[in-house]
Amino acid sequence: MSSYNSMEPTKSGRKYLRRHSILAKLDKASFERIYEQLECIHLAPGCRLFEQNSQGTDLYIVISGRLGVVVENPDGSSELVGEIKPGESIGEMSILTDSLRSATVIAMRDSILVSLSKANFRKLIETHPDTLLMMNQVLVERLRDSIHPQTQTRTTKTFSIIPISPRFSGHEFSRVLADDLSDWGHVLHLSRNNLTERLGIPIRAFDDETVSQIAIWLHEKEQEYDYILLEGDETETAWTDFCVRHSDSILLLANASKHPRESINRHYQTKRLPVSSTREMVLLHPDTVKSPSGTREWLDTYPVDTHYHVRLGFHADRKRLV
């Protein structure tokens, strides 16, 4: 479900709006007046922000996360035609033209955004016409893309590593993967244990305010790093769920020596949200294994997009995964 509230974005979210959104060109006093009118919205993965053919009443600006733009066809099929990333806005056309929404917008990841009402938006462009110019540029680009459509490529930057075998830590695997992945870019490896130290605040509970603060901080780190690995706990915890909700790709880490009926985190077994993360499985084998077996049982238990057989001591196996 989505969580709508009037909670103000954290300081980092406020700063982000000031620097990287359509509000960036406003002078300080004007920004403060508009900022007071914003409503902060938290969308869970798979939740719809608005529906195609609905009446537009608000403009939205993404602070963190990612939204998918989906066109629903008359035959009942749907197609992902674009993504709305942090700093970008959505909903301008309906407000400017009083037309119905041309697409459905869905949260692809846990997302934080702010909304501006039609009345306040029109006040904004009356007093700051440069904002309208920025809007027009955005709309022209979207029109151009609709005339000359290109294949949409999914942004895959943040990975969650979720152990699904009992008493099976993902720490060593995550550490080795982060080290191997560093050959391809700057990597941030986060776990519950090092989160407090890196974030600089004590994490006592995953309430709405804490989750919002971590989400916005994590978005800032996505600007600094090429890849982020979120190491989930060995059991189903609030941190593990956070990792899943904030990832572009979920890596289910299994001890291949065990039987899938012994697995934990079973709610990830069939969990698949619309326009959400890809889900992949890593079957971790002892270095002594020459040929894998039992793969079909794992794949029947956990339907995934793809799977990998990995022996941590074999560089070739790790290289194939990376």
Side-chain angles (χ1 to χ4, degrees):
M1 295 180 64
S2 62
S3 175
Y4 286 76
N5 55 70
S6 58
M7 181 182 65
E8 178 180 319
T10 61
K11 290 182 179 179
S12 55
R14 182 191 187 107
K15 184 187 299 183
Y16 188 81
L17 286 171
R18 189 76 179 92
R19 293 181 177 179
H20 303 289
S21 72
I22 59 171
L23 308 179
K25 289 191 175 182
L26 300 179
D27 58 75
K28 184 176 181 180
S30 299
F31 175 82
E32 293 300 330
R33 285 197 298 270
I34 291 296
Y35 186 81
E36 292 177 357
Q37 306 301 319
L38 298 178
E39 180 182 10
C40 188
I41 299 172
H42 175 207
L43 285 180
C47 184
R48 299 190 174 203
L49 178 63
F50 54 73
E51 302 273 356
Q52 183 172 321
N53 295 322
S54 63
Q55 187 65 52
T57 58
D58 296 89
L59 165 75
Y60 302 93
I61 305 171
V62 180
I63 296 179
S64 69
R66 188 171 295 113
L67 306 180
V69 181
V70 177
V71 172
E72 299 175 350
N73 302 314
D75 62 2
S77 63
S78 59
E79 180 182 1
L80 177 67
V81 298
E83 293 185 4
I84 307 298
K85 301 179 180 66
E88 298 180 344
S89 57
I90 188 71
E92 311 93 334
M93 181 67 79
S94 292
I95 290 181
L96 289 171
T97 64
D98 287 324
S99 58
L100 299 179
R101 303 290 195 189
S102 60
T104 295
V105 173
I106 300 175
M108 300 174 71
R109 279 173 44 183
D110 221 10
S111 301
I112 298 173
L113 47 157
V114 292
S115 65
L116 185 65
S117 69
K118 180 185 293 187
N120 286 322
F121 172 70
R122 288 183 171 173
K123 289 179 184 177
L124 172 64
I125 61 177
E126 286 173 4
T127 55
H128 297 278
D130 283 354
T131 306
L132 181 59
L133 179 60
M134 293 178 63
M135 288 288 184
N136 287 336
Q137 292 173 342
V138 170
L139 295 175
V140 167
E141 289 177 1
R142 289 179 185 166
L143 177 61
R144 181 190 60 202
D145 291 343
S146 67
I147 296 174
H148 303 288
Q150 299 179 357
T151 302
Q152 288 293 317
T153 57
R154 293 287 300 273
T155 302
T156 306
K157 184 164 189 167
T158 303
F159 302 83
S160 62
I161 299 166
I162 310 299
I164 58 173
S165 295
R167 298 175 298 281
F168 189 54
S169 171
H171 179 70
E172 181 63 16
F173 171 81
S174 302
R175 185 192 64 77
V176 172
L177 179 60
D179 185 59
D180 289 343
L181 197 57
S182 64
D183 291 337
W184 295 83
H186 198 194
V187 181
L188 174 63
H189 171 204
L190 286 175
S191 66
R192 175 193 286 272
N193 291 335
N194 67 14
L195 179 64
T196 297
E197 177 183 349
R198 290 182 176 273
L199 189 56
I201 63 170
I203 306 299
R204 298 186 178 90
F206 280 82
D207 54 25
D208 288 344
E209 174 62 25
T210 300
V211 168
S212 295
Q213 192 167 4
I214 297 174
I216 294 174
W217 176 83
L218 187 60
H219 163 66
E220 292 175 342
K221 294 306 172 185
E222 287 184 343
Q223 312 312 303
E224 301 176 24
Y225 291 85
D226 298 299
Y227 302 103
I228 294 179
L229 300 183
L230 302 177
E231 178 191 329
D233 292 332
E234 297 175 37
T235 57
E236 298 175 18
T237 63
W239 166 247
T240 302
D241 191 52
F242 178 91
C243 293
V244 170
R245 290 159 60 102
H246 287 78
S247 61
D248 300 309
S249 181
I250 301 168
L251 298 181
L252 300 178
L253 181 64
N255 182 350
S257 300
K258 301 294 184 180
H259 194 278
R261 73 166 66 96
E262 302 176 41
S263 58
I264 57 174
N265 287 343
R266 296 298 291 268
H267 69 286
Y268 301 126
Q269 183 172 335
T270 57
K271 189 176 183 179
R272 182 176 297 277
L273 299 170
V275 200
S276 63
S277 307
T278 59
R279 185 168 54 180
E280 306 171 67
M281 176 175 287
V282 176
L283 289 163
L284 203 59
H285 298 268
D287 290 350
T288 55
V289 169
K290 301 299 182 183
S291 179
S293 62
T295 305
R296 174 48 53 194
E297 290 179 291
W298 279 104
L299 298 183
D300 287 344
T301 304
Y302 286 88
V304 291
D305 297 292
T306 189
H307 69 281
Y308 310 91
H309 293 282
V310 175
R311 295 164 294 184
L312 277 185
F314 283 69
H315 182 262
D317 289 6
R318 306 197 315 265
K319 182 178 179 181
R320 185 176 67 252
L321 173 63
V322 171

